Amino acid sequence: MRNSNNRYALLLILIGIAICSATETALAESIEGFYNMPGDFADCSEEQNITSPSQEDKSKEDEPKRRALPAPFPSPPFPSGEYQGSPLVGVLPSDSVYPLMKRIYQTPCGEAIKNSRIKAYGWLNGSANLSACRHSNTPDSYWIVPNRVELDQFIFRVEREVNSAQTDHFDIGFRSTFLYGIDYRYMTSGGWTSGQLLKHNKLYGYDFTEQYVDIYTPNVAEGMILRLGRWIACPDIETQFAPDNYMGTHSLLFTFDTYTQTGIMATIMLNKNWTVQAAIHAGTDMAPWYKGAVPTAMFGVRWVSCDNNDSVYLVLNAINSAKFQRFKMYGQELGHDNFNYVVGTWQHKFNDEIHTKTESYFMWQQDAVVGGTPSAGPVKSFGGGGGIGADIHGTTLTYGVVNYTMFKFTDKDFITVRNEVWRDEDGERSAFAGTYTSHAIGLTHNFNTLVQIRPEIGYYRNWSYKAFDLGKKKGMLLAGVDMTVRF
């Protein structure tokens, strides 16, 4: 049995950093309907007067201005000011600078690095929870070990964002993101250091979650970004890293969705309202060199209303044979999920204080297995392992809807309410068939731009079978808190 003292030490370290950071001067904050949908790809550019921030330094007056509609949400306190969509065309690179880069800028090469727009930064995210379960909080995520303190994410990232606001020249960017922590199992993609989970079922692991190059050209429509490599799946509310999410835990709908895709994707901005996407990738959470990889298409369309109060993002995120991929690996019969699905997100802004996001998907797969992609590793108390599940003959379906509604009440704080209904007809995703519901509420408090805490409480239930605590309970009450410290 592993000593839990390390987990408590981690919590104390995070709390200590938070107290110290909270006493410092905050870093400069980031700059940052269906009812009136324009027809025939109408452009509302004449209705909007996009200007640079009034406090912008005069030396930047000649720099390109944002061509997309304004960011609809105040960020902070919300994790992002944008509607769902990645990558976004017509926006400026982020001007956020965290402590590591501030130090680098002070070196002899600092000015050259600053001019190159290459940045290095990251964060630590840890959590503690109190659960009605004794062994495992699965099938929910990310806090899978009950009544423990854990390191969810250590992230280190190096990137250069393209400047797609300008229309004068090509631009090339990249992102390389490394992750370590218990959350790695939700990012795992076959062929990308996947043996940690798929062979050994380790609690802690690492993952090279984002590894891509972006090529921007202004010469296609209003601009196109070509992305090559491994990226985080675009359409989902929750398929983000810890600081970019509204809560520490996640919906069941997210838990059994795609996390990354590896291939090539084109994103084309037609005008301020409409963006289209198309991609060829190796299948849901699979690298092209993985045994189960299969050529897979993706198509998406994103619309934002002229009044900037509504957005719809609809994506056919995977379309191929939809047949579960079977193969032999690690000396036994295994396989990998190859589900197809369509996913859509509608977002509405009531005002600067309140906005809501509703996501739904419909997923199908042929000749799948109970529990989905198997791990050949040993069965562990927190879940997973044990090899391939029982066969499910024919077509099996999974579908659901989740809503997030956010209420800002100070410049540093907001409340999130999350509700969902999700059905796994034959247990192909969660290993337990039935209809699930979950209801959770959380508070996000930003001490400053470096330190954030998020306490929350939620209730999760399978109305048909005992799906929680490794098949011992129908429902689970879960409370906890996570903390993020940026560097």
Side-chain angles (χ1 to χ4, degrees):
M1 180 181 237
R2 291 180 305 118
N3 192 331
S4 63
N5 289 339
N6 291 339
R7 309 302 183 274
Y8 291 99
L10 166 67
L11 182 63
L12 291 174
I13 291 170
L14 289 173
I15 291 173
I17 295 173
I19 293 172
C20 294
S21 300
T23 61
E24 297 177 357
T25 304
L27 296 176
E29 296 185 342
S30 299
I31 299 171
E32 330 232 71
F34 267 141
Y35 317 111
N36 297 304
M37 182 181 286
D40 299 323
F41 284 68
D43 184 2
C44 56
S45 56
E46 294 183 359
E47 301 177 27
Q48 301 290 340
N49 181 20
I50 311 301
T51 59
S52 56
S54 59
Q55 70 269 29
E56 189 174 35
D57 189 278
K58 290 184 179 180
S59 65
K60 297 184 178 180
E61 287 180 354
D62 294 332
E63 292 186 1
K65 308 299 187 292
R66 180 183 174 111
R67 294 187 294 118
L69 291 172
F73 313 125
S75 176
F78 297 123
S80 172
E82 306 286 356
Y83 287 123
Q84 297 300 124
S86 176
L88 296 179
V89 181
V91 302
L92 292 162
S94 170
D95 60 358
S96 297
V97 180
Y98 295 109
L100 176 60
M101 282 311 300
K102 292 184 76 173
R103 292 292 186 185
I104 292 174
Y105 289 161
Q106 293 170 4
T107 66
C109 299
E111 192 63 27
I113 294 172
K114 186 174 183 179
N115 291 336
S116 74
R117 299 206 315 271
I118 295 175
K119 293 182 179 180
Y121 60 96
W123 59 84
L124 281 166
N125 174 258
S127 67
N129 74 84
L130 294 174
S131 172
C133 296
R134 293 184 57 195
H135 303 287
S136 175
N137 290 333
T138 60
D140 193 45
S141 59
Y142 286 174
W143 302 346
I144 63 173
V145 184
N147 307 306
R148 286 274 289 274
V149 178
E150 302 286 358
L151 173 65
D152 292 89
Q153 297 180 8
F154 165 79
I155 295 287
F156 181 70
R157 173 181 291 165
V158 180
E159 70 176 356
R160 183 185 190 273
E161 297 178 89
V162 295
N163 185 345
S164 62
Q166 55 83 20
T167 58
D168 298 329
H169 58 270
F170 289 83
D171 199 7
I172 297 178
F174 68 90
R175 173 176 285 184
S176 178
T177 303
F178 171 84
L179 173 144
Y180 177 80
I182 66 171
D183 291 352
Y184 90 98
R185 67 195 305 112
Y186 295 100
M187 289 77 171
T188 294
S189 179
W192 288 95
T193 66
S194 53
Q196 300 167 94
L197 174 64
L198 302 185
K199 182 179 181 181
H200 301 292
N201 192 27
K202 294 181 177 180
L203 177 61
Y204 278 81
Y206 60 90
D207 185 62
F208 296 92
T209 310
E210 295 174 297
Q211 305 295 326
Y212 62 75
V213 173
D214 280 344
I215 303 172
Y216 165 70
T217 173
N219 301 323
V220 177
E222 292 296 314
M224 179 181 76
I225 295 177
L226 196 64
R227 179 163 289 178
L228 302 91
R230 184 187 182 195
W231 63 82
I232 289 177
C234 305
D236 305 322
I237 298 171
E238 302 172 75
T239 311
Q240 321 285 341
F241 290 109
D244 302 318
N245 263 293
Y246 291 104
M247 302 179 75
T249 62
H250 294 277
S251 67
L252 293 156
L253 182 130
F254 156 81
T255 300
F256 299 104
D257 198 354
T258 303
Y259 203 95
T260 67
Q261 296 160 335
T262 304
I264 180 170
M265 175 174 64
T267 302
I268 302 172
M269 179 181 176
L270 302 179
N271 55 44
K272 284 177 166 43
N273 305 94
W274 294 92
T275 299
V276 294
Q277 292 179 298
I280 294 292
H281 58 83
T284 185
D285 292 314
M286 289 187 281
W289 52 86
Y290 190 62
K291 274 192 175 183
V294 55
T296 304
M298 169 268 197
F299 303 97
V301 59
R302 179 180 184 265
W303 168 81
V304 181
S305 63
C306 286
D307 62 12
N308 212 22
N309 287 333
D310 289 276
S311 175
V312 175
Y313 193 18
L314 184 64
V315 179
L316 180 59
N317 212 19
I319 184 68
N320 55 34
S321 66
K323 188 173 178 62
F324 184 86
Q325 299 295 288
R326 296 174 182 269
F327 47 82
K328 190 171 184 178
M329 184 176 280
Y330 310 130
Q332 58 182 282
E333 295 298 326
L334 294 174
H336 201 285
D337 278 313
N338 184 39
F339 53 80
N340 288 188
Y341 70 113
V342 60
V343 54
T345 302
W346 168 57
Q347 303 155 90
H348 177 69
K349 173 184 174 181
F350 294 97
N351 50 49
D352 283 345
E353 286 70 44
I354 303 172
H355 67 276
T356 187
K357 297 184 176 184
T358 301
E359 178 185 341
S360 181
Y361 67 57
F362 185 83
M363 183 182 292
W364 64 96
Q365 188 168 198
Q366 301 288 333
D367 300 325
V369 298
V370 172
T373 301
S375 168
V379 175
K380 298 289 184 68
S381 61
F382 50 80
I388 197 164
D391 292 344
I392 303 173
H393 299 290
T395 302
T396 183
L397 304 176
T398 305
Y399 44 89
V401 59
V402 62
N403 173 264
Y404 274 77
T405 301
M406 281 60 65
F407 305 85
K408 171 192 168 202
F409 60 94
T410 79
D411 289 341
K412 293 186 175 183
D413 303 271
F414 67 91
I415 289 173
T416 300
V417 178
R418 183 182 72 215
N419 295 287
E420 74 168 322
V421 179
W422 182 76
R423 181 166 176 78
D424 187 352
E425 288 199 345
D426 300 295
E428 65 149 341
R429 305 298 296 125
S430 65
F432 297 94
T435 298
Y436 294 77
T437 59
S438 75
H439 311 281
I441 184 170
L443 166 71
T444 297
H445 174 70
N446 297 285
F447 290 100
N448 50 41
T449 55
L450 298 183
V451 182
Q452 177 190 85
I453 61 168
R454 296 183 295 195
E456 65 174 84
I457 186 170
Y459 182 70
Y460 307 78
R461 184 175 176 86
N462 182 315
W463 293 88
S464 306
Y465 298 98
K466 293 180 179 179
F468 293 89
D469 207 13
L470 304 181
K472 297 178 176 63
K473 297 177 181 290
K474 275 193 172 183
M476 174 183 68
L477 182 65
L478 177 65
V481 61
D482 77 336
M483 176 181 292
T484 300
V485 180
R486 296 179 183 265
F487 60 85

